[in-house]
């Protein structure tokens, strides 16, 4: 039997109402804005619509439970060390919001800037990461180059011996990067949005997007009935193509399973986040003590929320190679999420060919870190009906010109 957060919380709070500051709403027949997807991005969008634009007649609909998509399934790596100015700007905007988010929401999202270190194992890695260090410093973003000995001092369990298959030749370190508690981010934004009047409707799958005779959006069809809306915003990572297809819009996206796993909990042993593109692993330690390990995407498109076993086995081999002392640990559980990926590995945020229909998607394997910034600029885009300046480069129209080239830092590990 499967329990949703809603049913568990209902039991915890006596079966009736939600705790004072967050209720599960019944849908109304009409809203100003309907947001499809109660992940971090959708909930953050609702929060900033209400808080910064005074738009509170908003419903956030989810086919499952809030935070049950990629928001609650990711490895929570937060960083802004991207190469292109456009990407660095949006991820840095998000990183600055992370720094004050617990205070903003009065909810501990456990943002922990413990440093994200990216390992170089060959000449190509070294050149690429040094290029990122220089680009970031020109952008005013912290990033520094470490020798193998400095990398070892920063992360003592890391093996930097020359006997390794791919020895560590150096590392790029973003000290302000780190991790946060993923589901707390969803809960914090949900509680904040709900307190301002936003309705959050779980177990409400959107099955259609209806249009007015003039072509503009009219609302959504759902498993709980028709809901009219002046504006509809699709923020449904992994499922965006399906939803946008309901409005007749084809999206340049592919959906892949991406998986992660955690070890049994142990005392603090891993002080930072480490990522290796070449050996292919990324790892940190949660406050519960589990080592949080991410794997790669499957090689084929799918909507399955579980990836291939050979992918996670490969990742564990890589972890054991980089951290020999972790070999004796047992794995506790693994899971998957569905990520949607654009051809240039940058997100899509903005207006669509359908008046009143907005979209935020394509964050691929790296959108958790963007959550506050994405919600912030998307809310402004919806409220004003034109792209926020930081979101403007990420419009759908860029695929006509090929304006953005592949953002190599989008994955940071080869997915
Ligand atoms: P989601 O949280 O997936 O929310 C979308 C919601 O839409 C879901 O709740 C879903 O139920 C709902 N939905 C879908 N279809 C419908 C429908 N028809 N009707 C109603 N609701 C619908 N990013 C990082 O920055 N750092 C990382 O370390 C990192 N690691 C990752 C590891 C894994 C294993 C995975 C899977 C992803 C990782 N990511 C990471 C990516 C990150 O998780 C996502 O980019 C981000 O969480 C997307 O947030 P979201 O709110 O857009 O999507
Ligand atoms: O974007 O940093 C990232 C990331 C790490 C693992 C998955 N995504």
């Amino acid at each position: 039997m499967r329990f949703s957060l809603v049913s568990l919380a209902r039991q915890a709070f006596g079966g009736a109402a939600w705790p004072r500051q967050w209720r599960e709403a019944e849908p109304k027949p009409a809203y100003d804005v309907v947001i499809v997807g109660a992940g971090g991005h959708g909930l953050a969008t609702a929060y900033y619509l209400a808080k910064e634009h005074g738009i509170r007649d908003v419903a956030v609909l989810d086919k499952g439970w809030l935070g049950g998509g990629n928001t609650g399934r990711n490895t929570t790596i937060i960083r802004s060390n991207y190469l292109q100015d456009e990407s660095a700007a949006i991820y840095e905007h998000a990183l600055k919001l992370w720094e004050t988010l617990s205070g903003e929401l009065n909810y501990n999202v456990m943002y922990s800037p413990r440093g994200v270190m990216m390992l170089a194992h060959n000449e190509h890695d070294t050149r690429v990461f040094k290029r990122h260090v220089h680009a970031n410093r020109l952008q005013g973003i912290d990033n520094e180059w470490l020798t193998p000995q400095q990398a070892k001092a920063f992360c003592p369990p890391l093996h930097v011996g020359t006997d390794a298959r791919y020895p560590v030749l150096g590392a790029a370190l973003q000290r302000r990067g780190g991790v946060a508690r993923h589901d707390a981010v969803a809960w914090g934004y949900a509680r904040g949005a709900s307190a301002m009047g936003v309705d959050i409707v779980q177990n409400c799958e959107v099955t259609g997007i209806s249009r007015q005779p003039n072509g503009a959006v009219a609302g959504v069809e759902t498993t709980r009935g028709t809901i009219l809306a002046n504006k509809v915003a699709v923020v449904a990572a992994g499922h965006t193509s399906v939803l946008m297809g309901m409005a007749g819009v084809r999206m340049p996206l592919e959906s892949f399973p991406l998986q992660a796993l955690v070890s049994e909990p142990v005392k603090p042993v891993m002080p930072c986040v480490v990522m290796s593109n070449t050996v292919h692993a990324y790892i940190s330690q949660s406050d519960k003590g589990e080592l949080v390990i991410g794997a790669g995407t499957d090689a084929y498109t799918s909507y399955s929320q579980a990836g291939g076993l050979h992918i996670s086995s490969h990742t564990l081999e890589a972890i054991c190679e980089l951290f020999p002392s972790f070999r004796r640990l047992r794995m506790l559980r693994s899971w998957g999420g569905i990520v949607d990926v654009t051809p240039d590995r940058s997100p899509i945020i903005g207006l669509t060919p359908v008046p009143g229909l907005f979209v935020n998607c394509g964050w691929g394997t790296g959108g958790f870190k963007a959550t506050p910034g994405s919600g912030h600029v998307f809310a402004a885009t919806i409220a004003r009906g034109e792209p926020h300046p930081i979101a403007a480069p990420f419009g759908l129209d860029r695929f006509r010109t090929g304006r953005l080239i592949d953002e190599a830092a989008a994955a940071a590990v080869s997915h």
Side-chain angles (χ1 to χ4, degrees):
M1 182 167 180
R2 190 177 196 181
F3 290 101
S4 68
L5 293 179
V6 178
S7 65
L8 285 172
R10 278 214 173 112
Q11 286 168 28
F13 292 101
W18 277 95
R20 256 174 310 153
Q21 286 164 307
W22 179 37
R23 73 217 140 85
E24 191 196 10
E26 282 302 315
K28 290 190 302 194
Y31 288 91
D32 196 1
V33 180
V34 161
I35 295 172
V36 185
H41 288 234
L43 291 163
T45 304
Y47 176 85
Y48 293 115
L49 271 175
K51 169 137 194 253
E52 300 213 343
H53 305 281
I55 300 174
R56 297 169 178 215
D57 187 21
V58 176
V60 188
L61 314 180
D62 203 288
K63 65 177 181 174
W65 63 95
L66 73 84
N70 292 340
T71 296
R73 294 164 185 271
N74 73 88
T75 45
T76 83
I77 297 172
I78 296 171
R79 56 188 174 85
S80 62
N81 53 355
Y82 282 61
L83 181 65
Q84 298 174 27
D85 290 348
E86 296 88 344
S87 333
I90 192 162
Y91 289 102
E92 180 63 14
H93 182 52
L95 188 49
K96 290 211 170 91
L97 291 172
W98 278 113
E99 286 165 352
T100 53
L101 194 58
S102 294
E104 164 77 23
L105 299 176
N106 189 25
Y107 200 105
N108 188 0
V109 300
M110 296 164 83
Y111 167 60
S112 164
R114 58 185 66 176
V116 173
M117 200 163 71
M118 296 178 164
L119 305 180
H121 299 276
N122 52 42
E123 189 59 28
H124 175 77
D125 288 350
T126 305
R127 285 189 186 175
V128 168
F129 290 143
K130 282 190 174 171
R131 186 177 176 213
H132 279 74
V133 168
H134 296 315
N136 289 155
R137 291 174 77 166
L138 286 171
Q139 291 152 348
I141 293 172
D142 72 302
N143 197 354
E144 62 196 89
W145 181 252
L146 303 184
T147 63
Q149 291 67 34
Q150 288 170 323
K152 173 86 180 162
F154 194 71
C155 183
L158 178 67
H159 177 58
V160 295
T162 48
D163 57 330
R165 186 169 57 115
Y166 289 105
V168 174
L169 301 183
L173 171 65
Q174 185 175 30
R175 291 182 194 268
R176 287 162 61 239
V179 288
R181 176 158 178 197
H182 45 15
D183 41 18
V185 177
W187 298 339
Y189 274 121
R191 189 179 71 164
S194 173
M196 291 185 281
V198 169
D199 284 348
I200 298 166
V201 188
Q202 302 177 101
N203 300 312
C204 181
E205 179 167 356
V206 171
T207 53
I209 295 177
S210 40
R211 313 269 293 269
Q212 299 175 31
N214 66 4
V217 82
V220 292
E221 302 300 327
T222 81
T223 46
R224 294 173 70 172
T226 300
I227 304 174
L228 302 178
N230 295 328
K231 295 178 179 175
V232 172
V234 173
V235 202
H239 303 275
T240 316
S241 300
V242 177
L243 278 149
M244 296 297 285
M246 295 172 190
V249 181
R250 279 193 73 203
M251 297 296 289
L253 290 166
E254 285 185 305
S255 296
F256 294 93
L258 174 65
Q259 56 184 313
L261 54 167
V262 289
S263 73
E264 59 186 326
V266 287
K267 286 189 176 171
V269 59
M270 184 70 196
C272 60
V273 181
V274 168
M275 311 181 74
S276 163
N277 200 338
T278 296
V279 183
H280 196 276
Y282 44 106
I283 181 166
S284 64
Q285 186 169 21
S286 76
D287 290 341
K288 282 194 287 184
E290 300 161 341
L291 292 180
V292 181
I293 296 168
T297 48
D298 279 11
Y300 51 86
T301 54
S302 161
Y303 289 109
S304 149
Q305 281 184 318
L309 185 59
H310 62 292
I311 306 266
S312 45
S313 308
H314 168 76
T315 297
L316 290 177
E317 283 162 13
I319 292 292
C320 293
E321 193 172 332
L322 291 171
F323 300 94
S325 61
F326 296 166
R327 281 188 185 144
R328 283 177 295 154
L329 286 174
R330 293 181 191 162
M331 288 299 122
L332 198 61
R333 59 182 189 280
S334 70
W335 63 88
I338 322 281
V339 297
D340 48 18
V341 179
T342 58
D344 60 14
R345 300 300 187 266
S346 286
I348 299 169
I349 316 168
L351 283 65
T352 73
V354 177
L357 181 63
F358 298 81
V359 71
N360 182 335
C361 63
W363 294 95
T365 59
F368 175 72
K369 69 176 83 64
T371 304
S374 159
H376 188 254
V377 300
F378 195 40
T381 302
I382 296 167
R384 297 178 194 146
E386 62 180 31
H388 182 283
I390 293 179
F394 301 105
L396 257 178
D397 56 334
R398 76 172 186 269
F399 294 102
R400 289 212 182 88
T401 61
R403 194 179 63 241
L404 287 182
I405 53 159
D406 200 11
E407 174 55 84
V413 285
S414 46
H415 279 295

